[in-house]
Every structure is written in structure tokens, then in C-alpha cells.
Amino acid sequence: MNDKAEILIVDDEMGMRETLSDILEDMGYHAVIAVDGHQAVQKAKENTFDIIFMDVRMPGMDGVDAFKEIKKIHPEAAVVLMTAYARDDRIREAQREGVYSVLDKPVDVKMMISFVEDVKVGDHILVVDDDPDTHAIFKDLLKARGCKVSIVRTGEEAIRTVREHQYDMIFIAMELSIMDGLETYLAIKKINPEVVVVMMSAHPRAASDLVIEALMQDAYTCLYKPFNVGEIIRLVDGIRRKKLQSSE
Amino acid sequence: MIDKEKTKEQLIDELAELRQLVAVLKAADVERRQAEEALREFLGKVERAKQEWETTADSLLELVCLVDDQGRIIRANRTVETWNLGQVKKVNGLEFHKLIHPDCASSSCPLEATWKQVWEDVRQGQSAQYEVYDQVLKRHIQVRIQPWRGAERGMTNGSTVVVVEDITKRKQAEEALREYSERLEEMVEERTEELREAQERLLRAERLAVIGQLGASVSHELRNPLGIIKNSTYYLGMKMNQTDEKVKKHLTIIENEIARSDKIISDLLSFAQDTKLALQMSHINTIVQDALSRTPLPDTVTVITKLGENLPPLMADPSQIEQVFINFITNAAQAMTSSHSGDKRGGGKLEISTRAENGFIVTEFKDNGCGIPAENLEKLFMPLFTTKIKGIGLGLVVSKRIIEAHQGSVAVESEVGKGTTFTVKLPSITWSLLRSMGERGEE
């Protein structure tokens, strides 16, 4: 850590604020605390934070409203909601409006730290697709989360770039010109057997044999277009959670 | 000459008289004929009236007899013949008992005895009525005896009208009704029992709903303090990394206990809430391996995996199915290390296998633990049923619910002392599923 990550912790419970900020401070980050939504918005006006961990249920302004206010000030802010309650409509609304992630309490501290690291460093994601809609979605979604997104349009380009760079996740469309998604996947797998690969398809029926083949060859899963924003976040978080667990 | 020879006038007069006489006689003859005609007509009417009345009597389904003051039959209707008791014309003079029982000589015959009992009253002009089952007719009959009103009209040869009605059908209906009413009591008892059971079920469901709600709100509230304890422990773990083994041990104990509390809370919440799935294409073998790697098992338990190759993928919420599998693995481990299976010196053996079968992916968890008694087997998936000393009995309920939310099923087979097998079936990917995936919009 050459420059300390700036973290804002928002929770109405003193114990939660203190424990989280002590952990993060001890790990070398700089943690600021706020006791409710209003104070969080105030602090966000005064400082720029790399990541904000925000409780949802708080007296006065709740976490979802505070998140929306902060988004107005810093559209790029990464806000992680923390909740002890069910994922209700308020939280789904926040997810649609670009909340970074939602963590259930008791929070997984390792997951928190991985978020902090990612905001600073970011996963490196490769998207292989010639569909401009896909490009737009991934750029918006993942750049806001601090990931680095590289986009290529053909399988051949993908194979070239995989030889030269290390990626954390690769999304490959089934429908590619010249070399199809499955061929591309199998070639990439030979170069880097460890990388997590998610297949994408706009034609579940036409591509089903290829998709099943890819899954049998250990592709992580297959996403169907049109994409669901929440689905991609969940997927990326799920992959991260698994990596954390397997590294324990 | 004058005496013998009548005058012309005299003769004319006599002739006139004769003519008058002839006219009178002619008139008398007409009158007589008219009278005869009237009589014939009258007799015809009488005959007709008699026939009408006889036909009326013959049309009755009842046996109708006119009986004299000695109890002998004077007249009977055609029913005598339909009941095969003889010919209408030949029954005159028979006693009623003899009519019905031609071959019965016994004076203690119930029919005869009853007749005699009522006869004196009948003689006094009273009516009588009785019902018997008649062995000869093989019918239930009702005998009604009414005084005959002939005396009022100056007729004395008859004294009594006897009407015998076949009441077999009515008796049968009554019998059926009686049986039914007895059965009805039983039915009412049965229904009452069912109702009581239904009420108990309802009460149980209500109680569960209350427990669920209460459990959910308590669980949510507990998540904050539990989270804080977890954070504090994490912090202490960071700071005391280099200190002695005992401190580390205690920190691990706290962490494990927090994880256990969290599991209880999660089970309660899953139980109280509807199961929501985040489906994605998954591999069963990956889920099994993830579940195994996340379940701490005692050294005495050996796990053997027989994972099928080239299994089709499935649409599943991998984290929830993983929880279900962790639950089965943990239960199996407990069954194999509990005191009931203490004689297994070699320790427990858990075999986990996966295979494809008719559009389903089958995962089996087969242990050689203490087994489950038959009486507990059916209660296994009931909320709050548990044989463990620890635990609130929601794990299997929640597991079943998650599997069923995946359109899958779970079955259990067990033998006490030999072991238990849980079999989970989850649908594998199909065309329609793939198509619906493509058609589905934003959640």
C-alpha cells in the first residue's frame, strides 16, 4: 500500500463502527466514521473516499438515501451496503442505481478487505464479444467498481491478449465471427487453465450444445442476454468469494 | 128375437167398449215393458257398482278381508292370489290364521297368538294394529283390524275388516336408517377426530408461523451484535497473531461459535422467509467439492467421493445447494460419531456420489452411521423435529425447501445400526429451461 485507501464507515451502532475502523486502520487503511446517513453525506462532501461501507437501517436518513445523495456528489464513489435484514425493495433499488455490493451482517471482513483492495487495484477482466451493447454494459458496470476492462471482438484477438496478459475473469460470447466461443474458450483454457471463464449467449437454443460442452469443460457458468445488472454483480462477487475461501 | 138379437146400437156400444179395453191393455203392456227396462238398467248399475268396488279392492296392494263375528273370512280381495294364499273364491270360511298359515297347527304361532290377543277388543268394536315378521310370507307385515260398519246399515253377517300390508321395504328402510344413524355416530366421532387433528395441525402451523416471525426478527436483531463480536474477534486475532497457542485456541473457539450462531440464525431466517434463488448454470461436482471443503470433519470420518464424469450442468443457486450439502455432510458426520455408533471402531465412512438419471442429477450421501428409526423417518422433514441434543430442527426442513424450490426432490432411506442414505434429485438443463432463460427479462 503506497498510498492509504480512504474508507468511510457508516453505522449507527458504535460497536460496529469501532471494530470495523480498528481492523481497517490496523491493516494500514485510513478509516473515517459517520454515525448516520446525514453525517455520511456531510463527510462525503468534505472528503473523497475510495470506498464507503454503509449500514442500511439507520435513524434519520437511511443507508439507501445516503447512498443516493453521495452518488450526486461523487458519481464514481464505491458504496457497499451492509444489512442485517432481508434484501428488500429498497436494497434492490440501490442495486439498480449502482451500489458496489451488498454484504450481509455479520460481515465477512475478508470480503470487505478484498473490496478495498479491488477499488484500489481492480480485477482485470477481458470481454470477448463484438456486440456493442455488451461493451457498454461492462464498461459502465465494472469500471464503476474499479475493475480494469479490456474488450476484444474476436477469438483470435482474445487468444493473443491472453498470451500476453494475466486476467482475473474472462467473459466470452458464444456468437463470434470466424472462431466461435467454445473454440476460443478451449484455446484460452490451454494457455491459462486457472482463469475463470463465463460464457455469454444471445441464443440459448441455438448455442445450447456449445454451452453445455463449455460447462462440461469447466467454464464457470453461462449468462444469457439481455444481461441482468444484478446478475453480473452477483456473479463477480460470487467468484471473488470463492477465491477468498479457497485461499484460506 | 129381441133378447137374442142385439140392437145395432147395442153392438156399436160393445165394440166401442172393447176398443177402449184393448187400448188400456196396450197401455199397461207399455208400462210393464218400461218397468222391465228400468229394472234391467238398475240391475246393470248395481252389477257395475259391485264390480267397480271389487276392482277397487283388488287394486289395493294390501290384503283386505271382511271377517265375520267368529273370525272367519267372508270375502277377500285379489291380493290373496298375488300373495299365493289361494283363490279368492275358495277362502270363504277360513280363519285369518289359516289363510296366512295353511299348514300351521300351532296355537302358539306368533301370528295366531297376537290375533287372539287383540280379537276380544275387536269384538267390542275397537280397532287394533300390530306388526310382525312372518316366517311363512317371509315378509314384515302390518295387520290392521277395523270394526265393520255394516251393522249401522242393518247388515250383520260381517263384523271386522282386516287389512294386511307388506311393510318389508319400510322395515328395511328403517333398519338401514337405524344402521346409518349408528354409523353416523361413528362418522361423527371420526370427523370430530379429524377435525381435532386438523385443528392441531393448524395450531402447529400457527405456532410455527409465530416462531418463524419471532425467530426472523430476533435473528435480524442478533446479526448486529454477532457481527460486532465477530469483528472484535477478528481484530484480536490480528493483534495476537504471535501470542501463545492457548489464546489462538480460544480465538478459534469464539470464531467457531460465532459461525455456529450465524448458522442457526440463517436457518431460522431461511425457514421464516420464502426461498429466493439466484440461479446460474452450475456443475454438481463443483458444488459437492465446495461443500466438502467447507465442512470441518472429525478425523474418524472418511469421505469417499464417486463423482460422475461428463454430467450435464444444472440451473441452481450454487451457494444454497452448497448449504444443503453441508447440512447433509454434517448430519452424516454426527450420525457416525454419536454414541449410538460407538462400536464402529473403524470410524465412519461417508460416500458421496453423483450421476445423471432421466433428466435429473442425482447426488447421494450414504453414511454407515447409527441410522434413523422408522418412526422418526417420516417426521424427519417436519419443522422443529430433532433427535440431536443440539440444534432446533430446521436444517432438514430448510434443505428440503431449497431442493423443492429447484424443482427437485429429496428422499431418505435408513436402517438402524447400518446407516442412512439421503438422495437429492435436481433437474438438469433442458431445452425449455434454456429457452426460458433467454426470454426472461430483468428480475
Side-chain angles (χ1 to χ4, degrees):
Chain A
M1 273 295 98
N2 33 22
D3 63 322
K4 281 184 172 183
E6 291 285 330
I7 303 167
L8 177 62
I9 292 160
V10 192
D11 202 307
D12 58 325
E13 291 214 33
M14 188 270 283
M16 194 62 80
R17 293 193 301 266
E18 292 301 316
T19 51
L20 288 180
S21 67
D22 282 355
I23 291 167
L24 294 169
E25 286 277 343
D26 261 59
M27 298 197 72
Y29 306 109
H30 185 239
V32 175
I33 55 174
V35 300
D36 59 26
H38 286 294
Q39 212 179 69
V41 176
Q42 196 55 42
K43 302 258 175 185
K45 277 179 185 160
E46 293 160 9
N47 288 296
T48 309
F49 295 100
D50 295 301
I51 190 161
I52 299 170
F53 291 101
M54 177 120 63
D55 185 27
V56 175
R57 277 203 202 176
M58 290 181 291
M61 184 186 275
D62 77 358
V64 176
D65 282 336
F67 154 71
K68 288 181 184 168
E69 286 300 311
I70 291 169
K71 270 278 165 186
K72 286 180 197 160
I73 307 159
H74 301 291
E76 300 285 291
V79 177
V80 177
L81 295 179
M82 305 182 290
T83 181
Y85 301 90
R87 307 263 172 128
D88 56 11
D89 289 342
R90 292 284 286 159
I91 288 177
R92 276 192 283 276
E93 187 191 334
Q95 279 175 314
R96 274 196 299 278
E97 294 194 18
V99 81
Y100 188 91
S101 188
V102 181
L103 289 177
D104 285 320
K105 285 182 177 177
V107 289
D108 182 341
V109 178
K110 291 198 181 80
M111 194 74 180
M112 280 183 85
I113 293 164
S114 92
F115 283 151
V116 176
E117 290 296 311
D118 277 336
V119 172
K120 296 294 286 179
V121 181
D123 275 337
H124 197 176
I125 289 174
L126 176 65
V127 178
V128 189
D129 197 352
D130 52 14
D131 174 8
D133 290 343
T134 309
H135 302 170
I137 289 171
F138 272 91
K139 272 182 183 163
D140 288 353
L141 195 79
L142 300 180
K143 272 191 177 163
R145 297 199 61 172
C147 301
K148 252 163 62 188
V149 179
S150 305
I151 292 171
V152 294
R153 289 161 187 280
T154 65
E156 290 77 2
E157 286 176 81
I159 292 164
R160 260 200 306 281
T161 183
V162 168
R163 282 213 177 90
E164 289 159 15
H165 298 99
Q166 190 65 39
Y167 293 98
D168 297 292
M169 276 172 242
I170 304 178
F171 290 77
I172 306 172
M174 275 296 166
E175 298 83 13
L176 293 175
S177 54
I178 317 170
M179 199 178 191
D180 73 25
L182 178 63
E183 288 176 90
T184 309
Y185 165 61
L186 294 175
I188 287 173
K189 198 168 172 263
K190 269 188 192 156
I191 304 163
N192 182 355
E194 297 301 313
V195 69
V196 176
V197 177
V198 175
M199 310 307 294
M200 305 181 287
S201 174
H203 306 288
R205 179 150 201 172
S208 75
D209 281 354
L210 297 179
V211 170
I212 288 173
E213 180 60 27
L215 288 166
M216 294 226 250
Q217 298 286 333
D218 278 349
Y220 187 78
T221 187
C222 181
L223 284 175
Y224 288 99
K225 297 176 186 180
F227 291 136
N228 176 325
V229 170
E231 202 174 1
I232 297 178
I233 292 189
R234 204 160 55 217
L235 195 63
V236 173
D237 283 355
I239 293 168
R240 172 174 301 141
R241 196 169 277 124
K242 279 186 79 156
K243 279 186 184 169
L244 286 174
Q245 277 162 5
S246 61
S247 69
E248 266 173 24
Chain B
M1 222 26 224
I2 290 167
D3 286 348
K4 287 184 181 175
E5 288 184 9
K6 288 176 183 171
T7 64
K8 191 182 175 185
E9 285 79 13
Q10 276 177 320
L11 283 171
I12 287 168
D13 286 347
E14 279 178 15
L15 191 63
E17 271 174 33
L18 278 171
R19 278 184 179 150
Q20 222 172 349
L21 194 64
V22 166
V24 168
L25 283 172
K26 271 186 180 169
D29 190 42
V30 167
E31 249 176 59
R32 186 183 55 82
R33 274 194 222 162
Q34 279 175 343
E36 274 175 8
E37 183 63 25
L39 184 66
R40 257 201 309 278
E41 210 175 290
F42 175 72
L43 285 175
K45 278 184 185 167
V46 169
E47 180 61 23
R48 197 179 156 76
K50 181 179 171 255
Q51 277 177 10
E52 274 176 2
W53 201 238
E54 271 178 9
T55 310
T56 305
D58 288 343
S59 301
L60 292 173
L61 293 173
E62 289 92 344
L63 171 65
V64 181
C65 312
L66 178 62
V67 174
D68 68 12
D69 53 2
Q70 301 301 308
R72 286 186 298 256
I73 289 161
I74 298 168
R75 218 177 264 285
N77 70 348
R78 187 79 58 187
T79 309
V80 168
E81 285 169 22
T82 52
W83 285 10
N84 293 321
L85 298 172
Q87 287 181 346
V88 171
K89 285 173 186 161
K90 294 187 178 171
V91 299
N92 285 10
L94 284 175
E95 283 176 9
F96 176 72
H97 179 230
K98 283 282 172 201
L99 170 70
I100 307 283
H101 292 183
D103 301 323
C104 178
S106 166
S107 59
S108 63
C109 168
L111 189 69
E112 170 82 331
T114 321
W115 176 271
K116 280 181 177 160
Q117 264 177 27
V118 299
W119 184 246
E120 273 314 305
D121 292 341
V122 171
R123 289 283 302 273
Q124 303 296 317
Q126 291 180 25
S127 60
Q129 176 173 324
Y130 58 93
E131 288 175 8
V132 288
Y133 176 73
D134 192 79
Q135 301 289 345
V136 178
L137 291 173
K138 304 217 180 302
R139 283 166 182 165
H140 287 277
I141 53 171
Q142 184 192 55
V143 181
R144 293 196 298 270
I145 308 173
Q146 307 278 353
W148 191 57
R149 299 233 166 127
E152 291 169 15
R153 300 180 186 180
M155 291 187 272
T156 53
N157 56 340
S159 69
T160 309
V161 181
V162 180
V163 178
V164 184
E165 190 182 347
D166 178 358
I167 55 167
T168 309
K169 280 189 179 153
R170 199 191 82 200
K171 278 283 174 190
Q172 282 168 348
E174 278 173 5
E175 182 65 15
L177 199 69
R178 196 182 54 75
E179 276 173 25
Y180 182 74
S181 72
E182 273 170 24
R183 172 93 189 93
L184 202 66
E185 276 171 30
E186 272 173 46
M187 278 159 68
V188 167
E189 263 169 45
E190 277 170 27
R191 292 288 297 152
T192 313
E193 179 68 9
E194 278 170 28
L195 220 66
R196 202 179 53 73
E197 278 169 19
Q199 200 177 5
E200 259 172 34
R201 277 199 300 276
L202 198 72
L203 270 174
R204 192 179 159 77
E206 270 176 15
R207 208 169 64 222
L208 282 175
V210 170
I211 291 171
Q213 284 165 5
L214 185 72
S217 49
V218 170
S219 302
H220 281 308
E221 295 311 320
L222 278 176
R223 278 183 151 184
N224 272 316
L226 199 62
I228 295 168
I229 298 170
K230 188 177 171 184
N231 294 347
S232 278
T233 313
Y234 190 92
Y235 181 79
L236 292 177
M238 282 164 57
K239 297 300 267 189
M240 297 184 172
N241 225 1
Q242 307 303 320
T243 51
D244 68 309
E245 286 303 312
K246 285 227 164 167
V247 172
K248 273 192 195 167
K249 186 181 87 181
H250 282 271
L251 284 173
T252 311
I253 288 173
I254 297 174
E255 272 168 16
N256 288 344
E257 293 308 305
I258 292 169
R260 205 173 89 192
S261 311
D262 196 25
K263 172 77 170 67
I264 294 170
I265 286 171
S266 302
D267 277 354
L268 252 175
L269 284 176
S270 322
F271 172 68
Q273 290 159 1
D274 294 334
T275 309
K276 289 205 185 84
L277 301 179
L279 292 177
Q280 69 182 49
M281 248 190 222
S282 320
H283 309 261
I284 196 76
N285 293 351
T286 314
I287 301 177
V288 170
Q289 277 154 351
D290 287 348
L292 262 176
S293 72
R294 294 192 56 199
T295 319
L297 290 170
D299 296 337
T300 53
V301 172
T302 317
V303 178
I304 299 162
T305 51
K306 291 184 177 169
L307 304 181
E309 283 175 21
N310 294 328
L311 295 178
L314 68 160
M315 286 307 298
D317 184 328
S319 64
Q320 295 209 44
I321 294 294
E322 190 181 298
Q323 279 304 321
V324 171
F325 288 180
I326 289 173
N327 197 12
F328 286 138
I329 297 168
T330 312
N331 282 349
Q334 283 170 357
M336 294 186 293
T337 50
S338 74
S339 55
H340 300 288
S341 54
D343 55 337
K344 287 207 169 59
R345 278 171 295 276
K349 193 180 84 177
L350 169 64
E351 195 179 296
I352 306 175
S353 62
T354 56
R355 61 176 191 274
E357 195 179 282
N358 304 328
F360 284 88
I361 307 233
V362 182
T363 312
E364 250 179 34
F365 299 84
K366 185 176 184 181
D367 71 50
N368 63 349
C370 56
I372 304 162
E375 69 265 24
N376 288 347
L377 216 50
E378 53 191 59
K379 297 186 214 146
L380 213 56
F381 294 102
M382 270 166 60
L384 307 183
F385 176 79
T386 181
T387 54
K388 297 182 209 164
I389 297 156
K390 290 179 193 166
I392 49 175
L394 287 178
L396 282 177
V397 183
V398 170
S399 296
K400 184 169 188 246
R401 204 192 275 179
I402 290 171
I403 291 163
E404 283 171 358
H406 282 83
Q407 314 298 321
S409 63
V410 56
V412 58
E413 273 178 47
S414 189
E415 201 175 323
V416 173
K418 290 213 168 161
T420 304
T421 306
F422 280 95
T423 308
V424 178
K425 280 187 175 186
L426 294 165
S428 52
I429 290 280
T430 61
W431 288 109
S432 58
L433 207 58
L434 278 175
R435 201 163 46 239
S436 70
M437 290 278 303
E439 284 161 1
R440 156 218 69 171
E442 185 101 350
E443 278 181 55

